[in-house]
Amino acid sequence: MKFRVERDVLADAVTWTARTLPTRPPAPVLAGVRMEADSSGVLNLASFDYETSARSELPAEVAEPGTVLVSGRLLAEISRSLPSKPVDVTLEGNKVVLTCGASRFTLLTMPVEEYPALPAMPELSGTVPGEALTAAVAQVTVAASRDDTLPLLTGVRVEIEDEKITLLATDRYRLALRELTWTPATPGFSAVALIRARTLNDVARSLGASGGAVNVGLSAGNGVDLVGFEAGGRHTTSQLVDGDYPPVRRLFPDSSPIHAVVATAPLIDAAKRVSLVAERNTPIRLSFSEGQVVLDAGQGDDAQASEALEAVLDGEDIAVAFNPQYLLDGLGALGTDFVRLSFTHPNKPVEFTGQDSLDGEDDSTYRYLLVPIRFTG
């Protein structure tokens, strides 16, 4: 095997392909990245840990085709450290030699015949704009659980109905829902899948950020068991989370007799300031009355803080208390100038939606439901 490739192209592709490599692989070969140089002038890179696979295609000047397996993390670190010159890669016996300018590295190969076959990319189900996917996933995954003892809740439920995709995530304390449109490959396409939040986040950031369309494939064998994403010559597949997601949609209230509208940025800033005195597991209180909301935290002999902001209240006065970080997560995910808080009762979940103006309509394509904390006094 012998080929030449541009340093920046190689570094980007290796870094992306090796990003999901396990730190403690169940088998040594799973710590490797497979490099396959094709006589057609294409270099294929691949990684796989039996759960997630990644493949990159990049142009190369291939003198001798061949396939090798080398340490993925080491190859990524070396690629990024090389000078900005063409990289020559040659297989010499059981070693791979990388030469770039005056730099020369030698890597031991691993037995490529022991490397497992990568799962095939599922058949195309549809395409979604990359920027829309990135924004939607970021808004929803803030509510996904990070507790691996509850694997169902570490996933994002994806509901597809023709041209509409609905993303749902919850960690039992908050619930996020985001709707977006896509272009199904087959009109009337319908599917439900549960995708790991960290996988979806990674895909949205790395593939969606390119700005083009992202191709999505869902394989339906005995139920849907694999999801695949492709954009710009990069492919990734992931096994889906198995199990029945709780029926969380019904948690959104049908109607809310009280709602308040506040400018988002000042509310975020005030919440950050006031929460400085909120010790671990201590809530931040929001008291709404005509024309204002008062944020306060701390009580008794502890440090205390309070701040008042302008607010428009529709309905009777109400006071609620939230986990400060969960409040900030929701406000930060909205991305709108104003936030509408819809209440049914001081102890019932509060729905956050965004709106562009103080007296405008709220945008229900993104909804963040947050369970308040009961407080005394």
Side-chain angles (χ1 to χ4, degrees):
M1 185 189 77
K2 186 176 182 180
F3 63 86
R4 169 174 279 199
V5 64
E6 290 299 320
R7 178 262 180 196
D8 290 350
V9 174
L10 179 67
D12 285 349
V14 172
T15 300
W16 184 82
T17 307
R19 77 201 188 288
T20 57
L21 288 174
T23 49
R24 293 178 181 160
V29 292
L30 296 182
V33 162
R34 190 183 70 194
M35 293 195 291
E36 183 180 352
D38 192 284
S39 56
S40 62
V42 174
L43 175 64
N44 290 289
L45 305 176
S47 66
F48 186 38
D49 66 357
Y50 288 115
E51 182 181 291
T52 303
S53 77
R55 281 174 292 174
S56 300
E57 297 175 1
L58 55 152
E61 297 173 22
V62 180
E64 296 176 25
T67 305
V68 296
L69 184 67
V70 296
S71 167
R73 293 190 188 282
L74 187 56
L75 180 62
E77 289 174 1
I78 290 171
S79 301
R80 290 194 296 267
S81 70
L82 292 172
S84 296
K85 295 180 180 179
V87 183
D88 290 302
V89 181
T90 311
L91 177 62
E92 297 180 2
N94 65 343
K95 295 180 180 178
V96 170
V97 178
L98 278 82
T99 309
C100 181
S103 299
R104 177 185 166 94
F105 290 87
T106 304
L107 284 77
L108 283 174
T109 61
M110 293 186 272
V112 72
E113 64 276 3
E114 294 181 15
Y115 200 69
L118 269 69
M121 181 77 179
E123 186 178 337
L124 180 68
S125 301
T127 59
V128 59
E131 290 182 359
L133 178 67
T134 303
V137 168
Q139 287 181 310
V140 168
T141 50
V142 294
S145 175
R146 287 149 184 79
D147 183 357
D148 288 327
T149 62
L150 299 167
L152 272 181
L153 301 186
T154 63
V156 173
R157 180 178 167 90
V158 181
E159 300 174 355
I160 303 174
E161 202 61 55
D162 199 14
E163 295 183 351
K164 185 170 81 171
I165 298 178
T166 304
L167 307 177
L168 290 152
T170 183
D171 61 2
R172 297 179 299 168
Y173 306 105
R174 61 257 181 91
L175 165 64
L177 177 152
R178 175 67 152 82
E179 295 176 347
L180 68 156
T181 56
W182 80 325
T183 306
T186 310
F189 181 83
S190 177
V192 175
L194 189 57
I195 305 173
R196 288 174 180 81
R198 67 173 183 271
T199 300
L200 198 55
N201 232 335
D202 176 68
V203 165
R205 283 203 305 262
S206 62
L207 295 184
S210 61
V214 176
N215 295 326
V216 183
L218 287 167
S219 72
N222 181 17
V224 175
D225 56 6
L226 195 71
V227 63
F229 301 91
E230 185 274 325
R234 294 179 177 179
H235 310 72
T236 186
T237 66
S238 177
Q239 288 184 1
L240 300 177
V241 182
D242 192 28
D244 295 322
Y245 203 68
V248 293
R249 270 182 181 266
R250 59 183 174 79
L251 298 176
F252 287 103
D254 294 328
S255 61
S256 303
I258 307 169
H259 71 257
V261 179
V262 190
T264 310
L267 181 57
I268 290 174
D269 291 342
K272 286 179 178 177
R273 283 190 289 268
V274 172
S275 63
L276 291 174
V277 300
E279 295 181 6
R280 187 177 175 83
N281 298 324
T282 304
I284 178 172
R285 291 180 294 274
L286 281 73
S287 303
F288 291 89
S289 56
E290 182 59 41
Q292 71 169 8
V293 55
V294 176
L295 293 78
D296 70 283
Q299 56 186 356
D301 296 331
D302 298 329
Q304 298 176 33
S306 67
E307 186 165 339
L309 295 173
E310 287 185 23
V312 173
L313 178 66
D314 184 357
E316 60 188 49
D317 293 1
I318 192 167
V320 290
F322 297 118
N323 173 302
Q325 191 55 53
Y326 294 171
L327 172 64
L328 288 168
D329 285 345
L331 293 174
L334 284 169
T336 53
D337 290 340
F338 293 87
V339 54
R340 177 185 296 219
L341 294 84
S342 301
F343 310 91
T344 54
H345 184 276
N347 294 326
K348 293 286 179 67
V350 179
E351 183 178 343
F352 292 69
T353 50
Q355 55 190 66
D356 293 327
S357 60
L358 190 62
D359 53 359
E361 290 295 315
D362 65 324
D363 180 5
S364 61
T365 56
Y366 179 63
R367 303 162 76 184
Y368 183 83
L369 195 68
L370 180 56
V371 176
I373 298 173
R374 291 175 183 251
F375 65 95
T376 55

